[in-house]
Amino acid sequence: MIKQYAIIFTVTYLGEMISKSINFPIPGPVIGMLIFFILLERKLIDVDFVEKGANTILLNLAIFFIPPGVGLISALDLLSGNVLKIVITMILTTIITMGVTGVTVQYLINRRRK
Amino acid sequence: MELLNSPLFGVCLTIIAYIIGLEIYKKFKLPILNPILIALIIIIPILLYFKIPLETYEKGGDLISFFLAPATVVLAVPLYKKIDLLKQHFIPILGGVIAGILTSILFCTLIGKALGLDLSIIKSSLSKSLTTPIAIELSKQVGGIVPITIVMVMITGITGAVMAPFICKIFKIENKVAKGIAIGTASHAVGTSRAIEMGETQGAMSGLAIGVAGILTVFILPLLHIILF
């Protein structure tokens, strides 16, 4: 297990370094994810080898968002009076986004079949 | 007060609140009882009531959120395992996800401006359809407020999970691949939990869409952000 985490943390660090040294704004962790993906795709890392370590993190992924979420305390002023508007915006945009995505995929699949 | 100065305070409070949230969610299985939302509803009032400064909590909280970066990196594993699905329907999936990303960013801006929301709130919403770790990183980048983004991600996920079958019906989305991609693109992992209930194909496609939408948005959002703001 410790070797799996050695790989995961090294790739994370590498992503962070690359993110700081390029000009296009891609977050370090996302670069790390792309590197990790390429390593898996090129079979430089065996997926079976890292899967257990990865799943341990992913299984409880949600806990890592709680502390940043608690930061809401410092944004309460900004939120007051806007909660309903935010909820409405979120619901409407989710409906429209899901609809447009589904219709597009379906159209492209059907077009190819003809 | 002395006891609160240990990072263990924030660590314990976070883990306990998370377990309570998880247990409540498991018991009722309702998307609205999102474990993160419940944890926030437990922690925030405790800090406010006992007048505990955010910095005191964050001594422990930061230790936990440190793992967000490696957690984002390992998202590559589920994505890699689903890559064959992407190869089967490459063009429709890519086209659909890109259409979804553009729609989400555009309508968040339009509806937000129409309702008169503060610019920082609108910017917080631009990445809200994505999986939380990527949404957080992108929110930071475009000048959003991370905690607001997290709450928006939750509301979006809950909406997607609750309304997915209804949305598919009104938009006449019948193809299983299209349903899955639509749900994952619009409402990440929380929506995917519903897609899994709808069927195996829908669930797998929705899971795939989370990763594809996350990566593509990383490239699309900074460019669109320059045009829109």
Side-chain angles (χ1 to χ4, degrees):
Chain A
M1 195 72 122
I2 194 74
K3 285 180 191 163
Q4 301 179 37
Y5 287 113
I7 295 174
I8 293 167
F9 279 97
T10 309
V11 172
T12 309
Y13 187 50
L14 212 64
E16 207 72 57
M17 291 292 114
I18 295 174
S19 170
K20 286 202 174 107
S21 55
I22 57 170
N23 255 329
F24 194 79
I26 305 178
V30 178
I31 294 180
M33 178 188 166
L34 292 171
I35 296 172
F36 204 43
F37 182 82
I38 292 167
L39 292 172
L40 291 167
E41 173 74 18
R42 297 276 128 218
K43 315 270 183 220
L44 293 168
I45 296 175
D46 184 22
V47 71
D48 295 327
F49 178 69
V50 287
E51 200 172 10
K52 220 173 167 188
N55 282 343
T56 309
I57 297 179
L58 290 175
L59 208 63
N60 287 298
L61 187 61
I63 196 172
F64 308 129
F65 317 143
I66 296 173
V70 173
L72 207 58
I73 285 185
S74 55
L76 288 178
D77 288 344
L78 194 62
L79 277 184
S80 63
N82 284 323
V83 176
L84 190 65
K85 287 179 190 170
I86 291 175
V87 173
I88 291 171
T89 311
M90 293 305 109
I91 293 176
L92 286 179
T93 50
T94 306
I95 295 172
I96 300 167
T97 303
M98 200 180 283
V100 170
T101 309
V103 168
T104 309
V105 177
Q106 191 163 269
Y107 169 77
L108 291 172
I109 288 177
N110 290 339
R111 201 183 63 162
R112 215 163 44 161
R113 283 206 186 116
K114 276 171 196 164
Chain B
M1 248 358 203
E2 194 61 29
L3 286 170
L4 296 177
N5 266 323
S6 160
L8 284 167
F9 165 69
V11 171
C12 291
L13 186 60
T14 308
I15 295 177
I16 292 167
Y18 174 65
I19 292 171
I20 295 172
L22 212 55
E23 288 301 318
I24 294 176
Y25 175 72
K26 274 185 190 160
K27 194 159 181 208
F28 298 96
K29 283 276 174 208
L30 293 171
I32 192 93
L33 296 172
N34 183 287
I36 304 170
L37 277 191
I38 294 173
L40 295 183
I41 290 168
I42 294 170
I43 297 172
I44 292 176
I46 289 178
L47 298 185
L48 289 176
Y49 183 79
F50 293 103
K51 294 194 170 56
I52 300 165
L54 186 59
E55 296 75 45
T56 308
Y57 165 78
E58 280 179 338
K59 278 182 193 165
D62 287 347
L63 290 180
I64 291 180
S65 54
F66 165 78
F67 289 95
L68 257 176
T72 312
V73 172
V74 296
L75 288 174
V77 174
L79 182 64
Y80 169 73
K81 295 188 80 180
K82 291 199 165 72
I83 204 67
D84 285 338
L85 289 176
L86 177 64
K87 286 176 183 163
Q88 278 170 31
H89 302 276
F90 190 71
I91 299 292
I93 292 176
L94 223 61
V97 172
I98 292 172
I101 294 168
L102 296 175
T103 307
S104 179
I105 297 171
L106 221 60
F107 276 87
C108 277
T109 311
L110 287 176
I111 298 175
K113 281 194 172 159
L115 292 175
L117 284 173
D118 197 277
L119 199 61
S120 61
I121 296 181
I122 295 177
K123 289 186 173 191
S124 310
S125 74
L126 299 178
S127 57
K128 59 102 186 174
S129 278
L130 304 177
T131 184
T132 318
I134 298 181
I136 290 174
E137 292 297 333
L138 290 180
S139 175
K140 282 183 205 161
Q141 216 168 68
V142 297
I145 300 155
V146 169
I148 293 184
T149 301
I150 292 174
V151 173
M152 288 170 157
V153 173
M154 295 306 123
I155 301 172
T156 298
I158 293 165
T159 307
V162 172
M163 298 181 68
F166 168 72
I167 298 169
C168 289
K169 214 176 212 171
I170 52 170
F171 283 92
K172 297 193 175 65
I173 304 164
E174 278 138 17
N175 183 288
K176 286 177 182 175
V177 175
K179 281 183 181 175
I181 297 297
I183 296 170
T185 303
S187 55
H188 54 86
V190 179
T192 300
S193 64
R194 185 64 183 266
I196 290 167
E197 288 171 20
M198 290 163 73
E200 202 182 322
T201 309
Q202 291 93 318
M205 285 298 167
S206 187
L208 170 69
I210 299 172
V212 177
I215 292 176
L216 291 180
T217 308
V218 168
F219 295 95
I220 294 174
L221 183 57
L223 300 173
L224 213 56
H225 181 254
I226 298 169
I227 300 168
L228 286 171
F229 294 92

